Amino acid sequence: MILRTLLLLFLMSGIAFAGNAQRTYTLVSYNCENLFDIRHDSLKNDHEFLPEGERRWSFSRYWRKVNDIGRVILQTGGQGDEWTLPDIVGLVEVENDSVMHTLTRRSLLRNACYNYVITNSEDDRGVDVAMMYNSNRMRLLTHENMKSPVVEGIRRTRDILYASLATAYHDTLHVFIVHLPSRASGQYHTEGYRIRLVNQILAKVDTLQAAGARNILVLGDFNDYSYNRSIKRITESGFHEVTTGVRGLFHTDMVCGTYYFRQEWGSLDHIFVTSTITPKKCFIFDADWILEEGSGGVLKPRRTFLGNYYHGGVSDHLPLVLRFAIQK
């Protein structure tokens, strides 16, 4: 009887230990560079991504890109015995629900048990942001399509995606995924719009925290660098930018940003967390097959397009990966 009791206690302690060991989560943030399907949306200006459009976007090119993105996501989970399926994946520059259905149900990710939510923005081109979550470890509680404000002289941008998730270990996560307005019409001309959207996020954060929310993550493509006002606004509000100074996992000395522009690495992509979230490891996923060698031997993301020329790469951005734990 004593032996049975000791064995039972040992097994229970082992289960508890295993449960604690698995309380580390993996988050991925990735700009997919125009993940469009090949069908025309009559309400959007997506003509360039049609078979007869200027980019000659075809089913084979679309299918290759979808599977390549799936491959990237799977590989961000690690290598060998340390591999784990990412729990949360924030995606920007995805066109619609059809694209996300294909990615989660028909691509290399079809057996990965991912569910997803996606915004329905009034962006002219039809670009949205989405979140995939591992349904074996996460349950969606709520989600909201936070509408971008109308600003005179600037076209409507992508909405903000907010979602709350309950984990298998009874943690609650609050996730914001953003794709802030681009700098295409000038950094200073558009900066105020980005700051306005950041303030919209922070107002929602204040509401959540007043209701007792603790574990909050804000991620995506901010189209600003860490020294810009929009990013400083977030860090000054109490968030910690875990991606400051982050480097490539495989090419630590050569990859020091998520985006390569005008012969320079930079990070327009960021991840911010509240103090209750403990970063374990943060890196840029920079496998050889999603890179190419530029002039002078520099490595850079292998893009899908160079202008309108099909280049065959996955994306002009590299994904950020964060492994984190939650303080009890």
Side-chain angles (χ1 to χ4, degrees):
M1 182 67 179
I2 294 175
L3 183 61
R4 286 179 59 191
T5 302
L6 289 173
L7 180 60
L8 181 60
L9 288 172
F10 174 77
L11 291 172
M12 290 177 66
S13 66
I15 292 169
F17 176 79
N20 288 332
Q22 293 178 21
R23 294 185 90 125
T24 297
Y25 304 97
T26 300
L27 169 77
V28 178
S29 179
Y30 195 20
N31 182 321
C32 299
E33 189 197 348
N34 295 315
L35 181 54
F36 279 76
D37 63 22
I38 63 170
R39 292 185 296 243
H40 175 50
D41 183 340
S42 61
L43 300 177
K44 303 295 182 182
N45 182 19
D46 60 357
H47 299 280
E48 61 184 316
F49 286 98
L50 298 176
E52 65 276 12
E54 55 193 28
R55 299 197 188 218
R56 295 294 186 264
W57 192 231
S58 64
F59 178 79
S60 62
R61 291 176 176 181
Y62 167 58
W63 187 242
R64 175 181 174 179
K65 185 174 176 82
V66 166
N67 272 314
D68 280 348
I69 289 171
R71 182 182 172 192
V72 168
I73 291 168
L74 289 173
Q75 290 186 358
T76 58
Q79 296 176 306
D81 294 339
E82 295 184 354
W83 181 87
T84 180
L85 187 70
D87 297 290
I88 302 171
V89 182
L91 300 176
V92 307
E93 288 200 16
V94 292
E95 185 185 15
N96 53 32
D97 185 88
S98 173
V99 166
M100 291 305 301
H101 179 84
T102 300
L103 180 62
T104 57
R105 299 293 183 266
R106 299 183 60 202
S107 78
L108 294 175
L109 297 176
R110 60 188 176 274
N111 294 320
C113 298
Y114 277 122
N115 288 337
Y116 67 89
V117 288
I118 184 170
T119 58
N120 184 20
S121 306
E122 295 182 36
D123 178 83
D124 291 343
R125 296 169 63 241
V127 174
D128 282 303
V129 302
M131 181 190 74
M132 295 165 36
Y133 59 96
N134 180 351
S135 62
N136 285 331
R137 299 237 298 169
M138 303 272 170
R139 177 169 58 88
L140 183 67
L141 298 176
T142 60
H143 72 280
E144 179 183 345
N145 197 103
M146 296 173 60
K147 286 293 181 185
S148 62
V150 177
V151 175
E152 187 176 353
I154 301 179
R155 69 183 188 183
R156 287 293 291 269
T157 191
R158 284 73 53 174
D159 294 341
I160 300 160
L161 176 60
Y162 161 71
S164 61
L165 298 159
T167 76
Y169 306 109
H170 310 293
D171 299 312
T172 301
L173 298 173
H174 302 269
V175 183
F176 292 86
I177 301 173
V178 307
H179 186 191
L180 297 189
S182 79
R183 299 171 163 221
S185 56
Q187 193 263 321
Y188 294 106
H189 177 64
T190 55
E191 183 179 51
Y193 199 1
R194 287 189 290 278
I195 293 172
R196 186 167 175 177
L197 286 163
V198 163
N199 288 336
Q200 187 177 350
I201 294 168
L202 295 177
K204 176 73 172 181
V205 167
D206 287 343
T207 301
L208 291 171
Q209 290 180 325
R214 299 171 66 247
N215 311 310
I216 305 174
L217 305 100
V218 184
L219 57 129
D221 182 347
F222 292 77
N223 271 307
D224 267 335
Y225 301 100
S226 294
Y227 55 79
N228 290 127
R229 291 168 58 201
S230 66
I231 305 303
K232 288 183 176 180
R233 178 80 181 87
I234 298 173
T235 54
E236 288 169 358
S237 71
F239 278 91
H240 172 49
E241 183 183 354
V242 297
T243 46
T244 302
V246 70
R247 302 186 77 89
L249 177 65
F250 304 109
H251 305 280
T252 306
D253 296 334
M254 299 184 71
V255 175
C256 53
T258 59
Y259 187 68
Y260 192 79
F261 182 63
R262 292 180 179 172
Q263 311 303 311
E264 215 171 76
W265 280 107
S267 288
L268 300 172
D269 309 281
H270 307 269
I271 301 173
F272 304 90
V273 301
T274 48
S275 60
T276 56
I277 292 174
T278 303
K280 296 292 187 180
K281 186 176 183 179
C282 189
F283 58 88
I284 299 166
F285 181 74
D286 59 341
D288 287 338
W289 70 276
I290 62 174
L291 300 172
E292 65 181 350
E293 188 173 310
S295 58
V298 69
L299 292 177
K300 59 183 182 178
R302 180 170 172 79
R303 308 172 60 129
T304 305
F305 281 93
L306 296 173
N308 288 331
Y309 168 74
Y310 179 66
H311 193 52
V314 187
S315 175
D316 56 351
H317 287 242
L318 298 177
L320 290 168
V321 183
L322 171 66
R323 305 204 200 291
F324 67 93
I326 296 175
Q327 297 177 18
K328 290 300 176 184

